[in-house]
Amino acid sequence: MDQIRAYLLSLPRRRKRILQVITDFLLVWLALWMAFVVRLGIDEMRNPFTQHFWLFIAAPVIAIPLFIRFGMYRAVMRYFGNDALIAIVKAVSLSALILGVVVYWYSNHQNVVPRSIIFNYWWLSLIMVGGLRLAMRQYFLGDWFTAAQHVPFTNRDNGLPRVAIYGAGAAGNQLVAALRMGRVMRPVAFIDDDKSIVDRVISGLQVYKSKHIQRMIEATGAQEILLAIPSANRGRRREILGFLEGFPLHVRSVPGFMDLASGRVKVDDIQEVDIADLLGRDAVPAQGDLLEHCIKDQSVLVTGAGGSIGSELCRQILALQPTTLLLFEHSEFNLYSILSELEQRIARESLSVRLLPILGSVRNQDKLLDVMKTWHVDTVYHAAAYKHVPMVEHNIAEGVLNNVIGTLNTAQAALQAGVANFVLISTDKAVRPANVMGSTKRLAEMTLQALSRELAPVMFGDKTNVSRVNKTRFTMVRFGNVLGSSGSVIPLFHKQIKSGGPLTVTHPKITRYFMTIPEAAQLVIQAGSMGQGGDVFVLDMGEPVKIVELAEKMIHLSGLSVRSDKNPHGDIAIEFTGLRPGEKLYEELLIGDNVAATQHPMIMTANEDLLPWEVLEGKLTELLSAIERDDYSRVRQLLRDTVSGYTPDGEIVDWIYQQRRLEP
């Protein structure tokens, strides 16, 4: 049977159509002959051919051209659906009607055709022509039994993983069809909370209540649950995931309709549970005027455009119709990746945006100034920074030069080029920092705060002592961790679960704020539109999350159990590795309590202490001098003196500093 199926599928399209036409010709004859047999009885089964042979010529001559006209030979059997069935009903009904007219005009009194023959011919043709196509669809799918699991003696085990679908709506039914077609998983049941469909059979699958999941597992042997509830909000999804944690099932999900519509994924793309669902917080709808204020019909530059936040900013900026989008990035591969993605989107959506990839470093102020002047940049989103806490702790000089001096260079270039809006992407680690990364980001904030207070500042390092008119509105946006960013704990946990564990957590009490990358980028754009100059905006990150609890949830939703002292036979252990250099147990978003609301419910503005530009200039000069001498004890002391709340924990772990201490 498999060989015949493979042979039929391999036939050229033309030969397939000829085979279908011949088959339909024979089916029309059979339906007409059966119509006479039903009307006249089995004893008269030979008479139709002798008495009404002309009718057996007329029927296919009428029917086949109509079948062609209604596209019945263009439909692919494996994907035969409702539209094709409707076309068959129309074609068969019209052919029967025309045949009835022919019978009326050409039959005579000696050779009368009973009127019920036309009715019998109609319903028999529907059954034969349509039924054969439905049967062939099941045959080509390779499984005659998918819709008959409740019929005795028809169940069979084909070795595929058994999955239950949570959600018996449109997405769930599409998923069942896709799984049956792909034959990589075997759907065995639906789970749904709609009382009107519980205990019924949909697409051949029993629908169970959510409270009967254990009974479903025992009855079907399900090993996984696939969430097909794209319309549910995050609060509801979190509730469902919390309930499913108690069962030995691997939980995964299908994408939402927006992802399907955009073409980023297909309905049969199965993915691990979105961690955003575990947080259970729905994004607040964006305010269109705030999104467009600094972008629409303007020239926009994004530094660090290839990073996790920078690339998402580029995606969202592209949709807001800037005239020009400049991608400034020092990593060639990252720049190529985001450029390729955005170019495809521009072509697909026919966007009239000029896209310019620029390789360069924020350490090169002349290059930044040249780019901003050449392309008449209106808005800068400064996302370029070193963000990995232990890495910066081991490489202090690079952290200071990239995060502080890089920000200063970009800001001064924007000021000299007359850029209207400058938005710095900051971090919650800038609040009472315990590490070099956080202290450098806070110092970057203070640099912009000081510059924003100056109407005509003298550029840092400018020996000519010439003042520049300041027309730039500087704002800073501070937020916590984003899900899925480079260095995020979530991809690490996924990888560790796949390899069998253990999951590594630095400390049992460590907590972090989390937000999705698209939500953070959208809020950054809106916050950047609200500032008056020197504003520090703080995003509402919701409730902090204990990392160890997040690890436990991810293990449970993978259908596994946590190995511990209480459960020594569990699947995956969680190991505590100790806090890394510069790592804090808890992060904060505000230094003080002086915070005010804004027009957006998830964006607050903070009033933070600052230093005058002339004072800060002196501190930056000393800092650069200490960096040049590799005097990291002095660097640490300068950061302590300048950045409020900076309390480094432990010894200096910079690689150069440590090596030089060992030298005689």
Side-chain angles (χ1 to χ4, degrees):
M1 294 293 286
D2 289 339
Q3 289 178 345
I4 296 172
R5 184 188 305 114
Y7 170 74
L8 290 174
L9 290 173
S10 66
L11 287 176
R13 183 68 182 150
R14 186 175 179 181
R15 291 181 67 180
K16 289 178 182 176
R17 287 182 175 178
I18 292 172
L19 190 59
Q20 283 182 286
V21 170
I22 293 171
T23 303
D24 284 342
F25 194 97
L26 296 174
L27 287 175
V28 167
W29 267 15
L30 180 61
L32 186 59
W33 177 71
M34 286 294 295
F36 277 99
V37 171
V38 170
R39 172 65 178 84
L40 302 176
I42 198 72
D43 295 334
E44 302 290 331
M45 56 188 302
R46 292 185 181 180
N47 291 338
F49 288 106
T50 56
Q51 297 180 13
H52 306 288
F53 185 73
W54 66 274
L55 200 56
F56 284 85
I57 299 298
V61 168
I62 293 169
I64 300 301
L66 286 173
F67 292 177
I68 295 171
R69 179 67 183 83
F70 278 86
M72 287 171 53
Y73 304 117
R74 291 196 296 270
V76 180
M77 287 290 183
R78 282 168 292 170
Y79 310 118
F80 195 76
N82 293 336
D83 292 341
L85 282 174
I86 292 171
I88 289 173
V89 171
K90 290 179 179 178
V92 169
S93 300
L94 188 57
S95 68
L97 183 63
I98 294 173
L99 187 64
V101 173
V102 170
V103 168
Y104 174 77
W105 283 106
Y106 290 97
S107 62
N108 53 50
H109 294 292
Q110 289 78 26
N111 195 11
V112 175
V113 177
R115 285 173 292 182
S116 60
I117 293 297
I118 301 302
F119 175 73
N120 290 341
Y121 166 72
W122 172 72
W123 65 263
L124 285 166
S125 294
L126 282 179
I127 292 173
M128 292 180 182
V129 175
L132 179 65
R133 280 165 168 77
L134 289 173
M136 292 306 291
R137 178 181 69 177
Q138 289 302 111
Y139 174 68
F140 285 127
L141 285 175
D143 190 355
W144 292 92
F145 303 97
T146 52
Q149 70 172 42
H150 299 290
V151 179
F153 311 113
T154 60
N155 277 332
R156 66 177 185 178
D157 188 0
N158 49 16
L160 299 178
R162 294 166 174 257
V163 297
I165 315 297
Y166 201 116
N173 278 274
Q174 288 179 56
L175 179 60
V176 167
L179 293 177
R180 285 172 173 169
M181 203 169 295
R183 291 196 290 168
V184 292
M185 295 180 180
R186 182 184 176 190
V188 294
F190 277 119
I191 303 165
D192 206 291
D193 299 311
D194 185 350
K195 294 179 181 178
S196 64
I197 60 173
V198 165
D199 295 328
R200 297 178 66 180
V201 174
I202 296 177
S203 296
L205 303 179
Q206 178 80 30
V207 182
Y208 291 85
K209 285 183 180 179
S210 56
K211 65 180 182 181
H212 294 153
I213 289 181
Q214 188 59 47
R215 192 175 78 189
M216 180 274 295
I217 295 172
E218 294 168 359
T220 64
Q223 301 156 291
E224 294 190 26
I225 285 186
L226 304 181
L227 299 181
I229 45 174
S231 60
N233 60 34
R234 283 192 188 148
R236 176 60 182 146
R237 293 172 77 91
R238 181 185 186 183
E239 184 183 327
I240 291 170
L241 290 172
F243 176 72
L244 294 177
E245 262 194 88
F247 299 97
L249 295 165
H250 185 181
V251 182
R252 294 196 281 175
S253 66
V254 294
F257 287 132
M258 292 307 295
D259 290 330
L260 295 172
S262 67
R264 290 195 292 268
V265 291
K266 302 186 294 293
V267 72
D268 55 341
D269 282 341
I270 309 299
Q271 56 197 21
E272 295 300 327
V273 170
D274 190 346
I275 303 302
D277 295 335
L278 293 178
L279 304 182
R281 190 185 56 159
D282 290 310
V284 174
Q287 298 181 18
D289 56 332
L290 292 179
L291 283 175
E292 295 179 350
H293 181 72
C294 297
I295 295 173
K296 189 171 183 180
D297 299 327
Q298 298 186 46
S299 179
V300 181
L301 169 70
V302 179
T303 68
S308 50
I309 289 292
S311 59
E312 182 60 31
L313 280 169
C314 292
R315 293 183 193 102
Q316 298 200 21
I317 289 167
L318 197 65
L320 296 170
Q321 301 173 19
T323 57
T324 305
L325 177 56
L326 297 103
L327 315 175
F328 195 90
E329 172 63 55
H330 81 284
S331 166
E332 182 186 30
F333 176 76
N334 288 353
L335 183 60
Y336 172 76
S337 298
I338 187 62
L339 175 67
S340 301
E341 178 188 332
L342 297 183
E343 281 180 335
Q344 290 175 19
R345 182 175 167 190
I346 287 173
R348 186 172 64 246
E349 300 177 14
S350 302
L351 300 174
S352 57
V353 179
R354 183 167 47 182
L355 193 64
L356 300 169
I358 298 171
L359 271 174
S361 169
V362 292
R363 307 256 286 271
N364 187 342
Q365 185 173 330
D366 292 337
K367 176 70 176 283
L368 286 163
L369 179 58
D370 190 33
V371 168
M372 292 182 196
K373 280 186 173 179
T374 302
W375 298 104
H376 307 290
V377 171
D378 300 295
T379 301
V380 172
Y381 291 96
H382 182 53
Y386 290 143
K387 307 179 185 74
H388 195 272
V389 169
M391 195 67 72
V392 175
E393 208 69 19
H394 286 295
N395 298 273
I396 293 174
E398 290 303 307
V400 172
L401 293 173
N402 201 64
N403 292 358
V404 181
I405 305 305
T407 300
L408 176 62
N409 290 341
T410 312
Q412 290 192 151
L415 193 147
Q416 290 176 267
V419 171
N421 310 294
F422 187 104
V423 183
L424 169 68
I425 314 303
S426 192
T427 171
D428 58 355
K429 293 173 179 61
V431 179
R432 279 186 274 271
N435 48 65
V436 175
M437 194 281 277
S439 63
T440 56
K441 290 298 285 182
R442 176 58 191 143
L443 192 51
E445 290 181 356
M446 293 172 68
T447 301
L448 296 191
Q449 287 177 299
L451 279 175
S452 68
R453 293 294 180 94
E454 297 292 317
L455 296 176
V458 176
M459 298 294 99
F460 179 77
D462 187 354
K463 296 178 181 178
T464 61
N465 212 32
V466 176
S467 298
R468 309 277 181 169
V469 177
N470 186 357
K471 297 180 181 178
T472 305
R473 182 173 59 90
F474 293 103
T475 55
M476 294 131 272
V477 185
R478 189 187 289 165
F479 55 90
N481 298 274
V482 287
L483 297 171
S485 67
S486 55
S488 170
V489 71
I490 308 303
L492 175 63
F493 283 170
H494 276 307
K495 186 177 179 181
Q496 290 174 337
I497 289 172
K498 272 188 178 179
S499 62
L503 267 63
T504 54
V505 180
T506 56
H507 194 281
K509 292 184 179 179
I510 193 165
T511 64
R512 289 293 181 265
Y513 291 98
F514 284 102
M515 180 178 280
T516 65
I517 295 177
E519 184 182 7
Q522 191 179 79
L523 289 171
V524 163
I525 293 172
Q526 294 175 87
S529 300
M530 293 191 292
Q532 300 301 311
D535 309 79
V536 178
F537 291 105
V538 179
L539 304 187
D540 180 359
M541 301 291 293
E543 294 298 319
V545 177
K546 289 188 76 171
I547 302 301
V548 67
E549 291 180 0
L550 191 62
E552 289 171 354
K553 286 178 182 291
M554 291 181 67
I555 292 172
H556 291 150
L557 293 172
S558 297
L560 305 169
S561 59
V562 179
R563 190 188 313 144
S564 63
D565 294 338
K566 294 180 180 178
N567 182 23
H569 302 294
D571 300 300
I572 294 183
I574 296 176
E575 290 185 359
F576 298 104
T577 58
L579 291 175
R580 297 172 296 178
E583 194 169 34
K584 294 170 69 176
L585 277 180
Y586 310 100
E587 299 291 2
E588 304 169 86
L589 290 166
L590 297 167
I591 295 175
D593 298 323
N594 196 356
V595 62
T598 67
Q599 65 191 85
H600 195 289
M602 291 189 68
I603 302 173
M604 301 168 288
T605 182
N607 235 328
E608 307 286 27
D609 294 333
L610 54 87
L611 292 176
W613 175 240
E614 59 270 16
V615 175
L616 193 61
E617 267 191 303
K619 296 286 187 183
L620 292 175
T621 301
E622 286 187 66
L623 193 60
L624 279 178
S625 177
I627 290 287
E628 287 174 6
R629 300 192 309 271
D630 293 330
D631 186 354
Y632 297 111
S633 295
R634 180 60 180 159
V635 169
R636 174 180 276 199
Q637 188 57 49
L638 284 167
L639 290 174
R640 267 181 169 167
D641 295 342
T642 310
V643 176
S644 175
Y646 175 45
T647 52
D649 186 20
E651 295 295 318
I652 298 173
V653 295
D654 182 90
W655 299 123
I656 295 175
Y657 178 83
Q658 287 183 324
Q659 182 61 29
R660 289 195 174 171
R661 287 186 65 185
L662 295 174
E663 292 175 356

